[in-house]
Amino acid sequence: MEAQLDPMKDDLPLMANTNYMLVKHYILDLDVDFQSKVIEGIIVLFFETGSRYRKTSSTGKEGCQSQFDETCKIRASGPYHVPVTKVSACSSKTEYNDFAICGKGEEDTSDKNGNHSNEEQASGISNSKDFFDIENHGKKDFLLVLDCCDLSVLKVEEVDVAAVSGIEKFTRSAKLTDDSKELENLRNQIVHELVTLPADRWKEQLYYFTCCSQAPGCGELLFTTSTWSLEIRKSGIKTPTDFPHAIRIWYKTKPEGRSITWTTDQSGKWHEGICGHVEYPCRFQNPAARLQAVIPYRVFAPYCLVERCKEHLLQLIPQCLSAAYTTLGTHPFSRLDVLIVPSNFSSLGMASPHIIFLSQSVLPGGGHLCGTRLCHEIAHAWFGLAIGACDWTEEWLSEGFATFLEDIFWAKAQQLSHDEVKAQQELKALLRWRRLRDEVQNSEEELQILRPKKESTGELSESGASVVKHGLKAEKIFMQVHYLKGYFLLRSLARTTGEASYLASLRKFVHKFHGQLVLSQDFLCMLLEDIPEQKESGLTVESIFQNWLDTSGIPKPLLEEGETWKECQLVRQVSGEVTKWIQTNQRIRKSNKKKRKQDDVIFQKVRHRWCELVVKQKYVPGYGDVEKFLREDQAMGVYLYGELMVNEDAKQQELAHKCFATARDHMDVSSAKVVAEMLF
């Protein structure tokens, strides 16, 4: 039986047996029902035999078969869904069979979420305990395991790619016959030829992928769903090599699913050498792409925010893209869409290929807040997307790099002088150091470690499955330790090696590893190889692990460095401004209401900082601003709830409870859990 994991405490399991079967391409065809909050449709998956089984045959002498047997023994307790062929009195609300097996006089036993269990419901259909008892020379059927969560799988079938017109060119010398076994092998051969086409035939490849995705089915497959996976088998198939390499899955999401949040917008509507990666049309090898400093871009926003986007965002995008290009070179993706998301989006931004999701909370902050966040998300095109972490627990490889590079990009976008760049970056370093210090003092030690799996980082099980350490802990989403410690590590390395040499190493790293998954040591080893004199000073991969990545708390090299930033001219200027605001606050308390209202308009321009001052100084006339901020800027508001509660002031705690009661139904699930823990 699969263990039940606590989403507030446990690791996120990755169950897919990727070493046996690996998805090489997929095609989605989905419909969105905004009323029921369900996304429903099909996905067609094209597989290649995994690395641990690719060189074995299908003759029954495979060295990995024992592991398949063990897997089958473990999974044997789960109910399987059986293809229905001749069952009377069954009805379906959709055009496909939804596997609610019902015989004459029997009831549909599917639950309200669309999960189906068909244990002994129709006569003539074997129950689940028989499925793994079918033996062929003492071996069990191969089980394909795919990661999924909170999905209702309705049907799984093999796709008859051999039926596609013109597909004969991928069958080599083989001939189409009616022999079922030969046809099965032929279909897999076609998929193999298709997924391994060279990069210069990518248009042809995409055309045939599309055609194959529309090909008819040629037999339903047995499947079962569990909390974290979808498990599929075909009766009599013993190896990954013989398992269908093109399958179609009908499924739908659940309204309460943890991976999707439904919300409304304000308009009220739903809405240079050889590359090391596998072959695909790579922009890093495209001469035209290498000269493109600013890729095409578009902005999508609710009507009420269009003017605000025109005011700042549209002018900033080309500046930030050009700055990124100047720093790292070729843009990994050919275009950029920026989507302004609603106020309850759980972060200030998120990057995906070709698109950035940007919180509307950054728009009122003027050019600086919007620009720095935009630079951060643009940096993810290289670090996070073009280069990914081999082990998802090493998220500092994405967030640490993006935080470090946002300063570099933003300074270039503003065209600052050398002294201005230095002053700005030292001020940011001081603020981040204080933020890191506060987080370290108020969070679990195990969540402060950047390589929580240490020497076992990157290791997989025999089947290719793994876990994301602490991946289900809601509070981890709001921690910045991976951003901050990663940033300070990269900043320290840059200061040690010199910025020019360091940025050259980053460009070399991007060129060498784009399109691949990496571990921390891949970057660190390359950097130290470029600068061998650093090894003589005691800087090694092992020392970096020990001081920065494998321990909790503030890294030793940072313990004293925080004091040096206080002497920066810009830091002194900001300190003076803070003093001025405190004095202004004191004067406002004594002034008339008209003057206070006038000053409040000024305070709105600094929003979050103003709300922090209101809470810290217990400035009651400003509580309305805090309430408005918690309602409209939820991506940044989570931290304010904590500040309202920590002062143990009755009025502030009452305000926190009032705001949460109003907003909780529209909040991101993880945000709501974290705030609830603060309040109750």
Side-chain angles (χ1 to χ4, degrees):
M1 291 291 289
E2 183 182 80
Q4 294 298 312
L5 301 179
D6 185 342
M8 299 295 289
K9 297 180 180 179
D10 292 304
D11 305 328
L12 173 64
L14 302 180
M15 311 294 289
N17 48 354
T18 55
N19 285 339
Y20 298 153
M21 291 283 279
L22 191 64
V23 177
K24 302 294 289 186
H25 191 79
Y26 65 88
I27 293 182
L28 286 168
D29 183 6
L30 301 176
D31 292 320
V32 181
D33 188 328
F34 293 104
Q35 298 302 317
S36 64
K37 299 181 181 180
V38 168
I39 300 175
E40 181 175 359
I42 63 172
I43 183 172
V44 179
L45 302 175
F46 298 90
F47 296 92
E48 182 75 316
T49 307
S51 59
R52 290 180 182 257
Y53 209 83
R54 196 165 294 154
K55 295 182 180 180
T56 59
S57 67
S58 59
T59 60
K61 299 180 180 180
E62 303 81 3
C64 296
Q65 186 64 51
S66 61
Q67 280 119 20
F68 302 155
D69 294 346
E70 291 303 315
T71 302
C72 292
K73 292 176 183 176
I74 294 172
R75 308 289 184 188
S77 58
Y80 264 85
H81 302 262
V82 184
V84 181
T85 54
K86 297 180 180 179
V87 181
S88 60
C90 285
S91 62
S92 174
K93 297 180 181 179
T94 57
E95 61 181 330
Y96 45 77
N97 184 345
D98 67 358
F99 282 141
I101 298 180
C102 46
K104 186 175 181 180
E106 296 176 339
E107 297 182 355
D108 183 346
T109 59
S110 61
D111 65 25
K112 63 180 180 181
N113 291 323
N115 290 325
H116 300 281
S117 178
N118 53 311
E119 296 178 282
E120 300 182 85
Q121 294 179 41
S123 60
I125 303 295
S126 301
N127 63 33
S128 61
K129 68 181 181 180
D130 296 324
F131 291 162
F132 282 112
D133 292 336
I134 302 172
E135 297 190 7
N136 184 2
H137 303 291
K139 293 167 184 172
K140 307 294 184 181
D141 290 344
F142 168 69
L143 189 70
L144 172 67
V145 183
L146 301 175
D147 290 309
C148 75
C149 182
D150 296 335
L151 294 180
S152 295
V153 178
L154 309 172
K155 178 181 176 182
V156 182
E157 72 175 4
E158 182 178 358
V159 178
D160 187 9
V161 296
V164 173
S165 176
I167 204 70
E168 293 83 4
K169 66 175 67 179
F170 299 112
T171 62
R172 295 179 181 175
S173 60
K175 296 181 179 180
L176 298 177
T177 70
D178 294 330
D179 181 82
S180 60
K181 181 63 176 177
E182 188 173 336
L183 272 174
E184 290 175 358
N185 293 337
L186 184 64
R187 295 183 192 112
N188 286 353
Q189 178 187 319
I190 290 171
V191 175
H192 172 74
E193 295 292 330
L194 187 55
V195 301
T196 56
L197 280 179
D200 60 1
R201 296 175 65 183
W202 65 272
K203 289 186 178 179
E204 178 186 16
Q205 184 183 52
L206 290 180
Y207 169 77
Y208 279 104
F209 272 137
T210 302
C211 292
C212 288
S213 72
Q214 299 167 355
C218 55
E220 296 178 15
L221 302 175
L222 308 172
F223 71 92
T224 187
T225 56
S226 59
T227 305
W228 301 107
S229 65
L230 166 65
E231 298 163 355
I232 306 169
R233 63 180 287 268
K234 181 176 181 179
S235 181
I237 297 300
K238 310 302 179 185
T239 71
T241 306
D242 295 333
F243 191 84
H245 281 36
I247 65 173
R248 182 182 291 115
I249 302 173
W250 279 262
Y251 72 96
K252 59 183 178 180
T253 63
K254 300 178 182 179
E256 70 277 12
R258 284 164 281 185
S259 298
I260 301 176
T261 298
W262 295 85
T263 187
T264 57
D265 64 22
Q266 290 94 323
S267 303
K269 296 180 180 180
W270 292 90
H271 56 250
E272 299 165 79
I274 299 175
C275 298
H277 52 69
V278 297
E279 281 197 289
Y280 66 83
C282 180
R283 286 177 55 82
F284 288 89
Q285 298 298 326
N286 185 325
R290 291 202 296 263
L291 298 175
Q292 196 173 20
V294 178
I295 56 178
Y297 59 89
R298 297 177 298 178
V299 174
F300 299 87
Y303 296 121
C304 58
L305 295 177
V306 168
E307 290 304 317
R308 190 172 290 175
C309 289
K310 289 180 179 179
E311 182 181 356
H312 293 296
L313 184 58
L314 277 175
Q315 285 74 33
L316 289 172
I317 293 176
Q319 299 171 22
C320 296
L321 287 172
S322 179
Y325 171 82
T326 302
T327 306
L328 295 177
T330 309
H331 289 281
F333 303 102
S334 59
R335 71 174 194 277
L336 175 64
D337 293 338
V338 179
L339 175 65
I340 306 301
V341 293
S343 59
N344 68 336
F345 191 67
S346 60
S347 67
L348 294 180
M350 184 176 70
S352 289
H354 301 290
I355 188 169
I356 287 174
F357 302 90
L358 201 62
S359 170
Q360 59 189 243
S361 297
V362 306
L363 297 177
H368 184 81
L369 179 58
C370 189
T372 54
R373 176 49 53 173
L374 184 60
C375 285
H376 182 99
E377 302 307 331
I378 288 174
H380 278 311
W382 286 267
F383 294 94
L385 297 176
I387 299 176
C390 187
D391 189 317
W392 285 12
T393 58
E394 288 199 305
E395 59 193 280
W396 82 271
L397 288 169
S398 174
E399 299 301 350
F401 275 88
T403 304
F404 173 80
L405 287 168
E406 81 177 53
D407 291 355
I408 306 294
F409 293 176
W410 183 232
K412 290 180 183 294
Q414 298 173 93
Q415 299 181 335
L416 300 180
S417 68
H418 177 270
D419 290 341
E420 289 173 326
V421 170
K422 182 179 179 181
Q424 189 179 94
Q425 292 184 358
E426 288 189 351
L427 173 61
K428 286 189 174 182
L430 177 60
L431 295 174
R432 287 167 177 158
W433 186 87
R434 291 179 175 176
R435 201 182 311 153
L436 177 60
R437 178 194 60 192
D438 293 343
E439 183 159 296
V440 164
Q441 293 173 351
N442 296 282
S443 62
E444 299 178 36
E445 287 191 2
E446 62 180 6
L447 297 182
Q448 302 169 17
I449 301 173
L450 301 195
R451 267 198 352 146
K453 294 162 72 173
K454 299 184 180 178
E455 64 276 357
S456 61
T457 301
E459 291 184 2
L460 304 175
S461 71
E462 183 69 24
S463 70
S466 64
V467 299
V468 179
K469 194 72 174 174
H470 311 306
L472 293 176
K473 300 200 77 165
E475 63 268 33
K476 185 175 179 293
I477 297 174
F478 302 98
M479 292 185 65
Q480 300 180 62
V481 65
H482 296 83
Y483 296 74
L484 300 175
K485 289 176 74 171
Y487 154 80
F488 279 117
L489 169 57
L490 297 175
R491 187 175 188 273
S492 174
L493 293 172
R495 293 178 63 199
T496 302
T497 62
E499 184 172 294
S501 298
Y502 186 70
L503 292 180
S505 294
L506 286 187
R507 288 191 291 271
K508 177 182 175 182
F509 182 67
V510 167
H511 181 78
K512 181 178 180 180
F513 287 100
H514 68 271
Q516 301 179 60
L517 303 178
V518 300
L519 296 171
S520 296
Q521 52 264 41
D522 293 320
F523 169 71
L524 298 174
C525 287
M526 192 207 72
L527 182 66
L528 295 180
E529 286 174 2
D530 285 348
I531 314 166
E533 59 269 20
Q534 300 305 324
K535 292 186 178 181
E536 299 175 4
S537 65
L539 186 63
T540 64
V541 173
E542 291 72 24
S543 67
I544 294 172
F545 281 169
Q546 183 177 357
N547 290 327
W548 291 92
L549 304 181
D550 290 355
T551 57
S552 60
I554 295 179
K556 292 180 181 179
L558 274 182
L559 291 176
E560 298 180 0
E561 191 176 358
E563 297 298 318
T564 63
W565 299 315
K566 294 181 180 179
E567 303 304 316
C568 169
Q569 180 182 353
L570 189 56
V571 171
R572 292 200 299 268
Q573 181 182 341
V574 170
S575 298
E577 285 293 311
V578 171
T579 301
K580 184 186 78 173
W581 279 102
I582 292 175
Q583 294 171 349
T584 301
N585 182 33
Q586 293 171 345
R587 289 198 302 270
I588 288 176
R589 292 172 184 249
K590 301 176 183 179
S591 63
N592 58 46
K593 292 184 178 179
K594 183 176 180 180
K595 178 65 165 58
R596 181 181 299 127
K597 183 176 181 180
Q598 194 174 27
D599 284 333
D600 283 351
V601 175
I602 300 175
F603 292 145
Q604 282 302 305
K605 295 181 180 180
V606 291
R607 296 171 68 80
H608 190 268
R609 297 300 184 200
W610 164 237
C611 290
E612 288 180 327
L613 283 172
V614 167
V615 174
K616 184 175 182 180
Q617 301 297 326
K618 300 181 180 179
Y619 178 54
V620 177
Y623 284 1
D625 295 334
V626 175
E627 183 176 353
K628 185 174 186 291
F629 188 89
L630 290 176
R631 184 177 65 252
E632 297 181 356
D633 297 273
Q634 295 177 27
M636 304 170 69
V638 170
Y639 305 100
L640 275 182
Y641 280 105
E643 294 174 20
L644 285 169
M645 297 302 295
V646 77
N647 286 333
E648 297 184 354
D649 178 86
K651 287 186 177 179
Q652 290 191 357
Q653 292 185 351
E654 181 183 356
L655 176 62
H657 282 273
K658 175 186 175 183
C659 293
F660 184 57
T662 302
R664 70 181 305 168
D665 290 340
H666 306 285
M667 291 178 73
D668 169 77
V669 176
S670 296
S671 302
K673 287 181 179 178
V674 170
V675 174
E677 287 185 351
M678 295 178 184
L679 270 57
F680 303 106

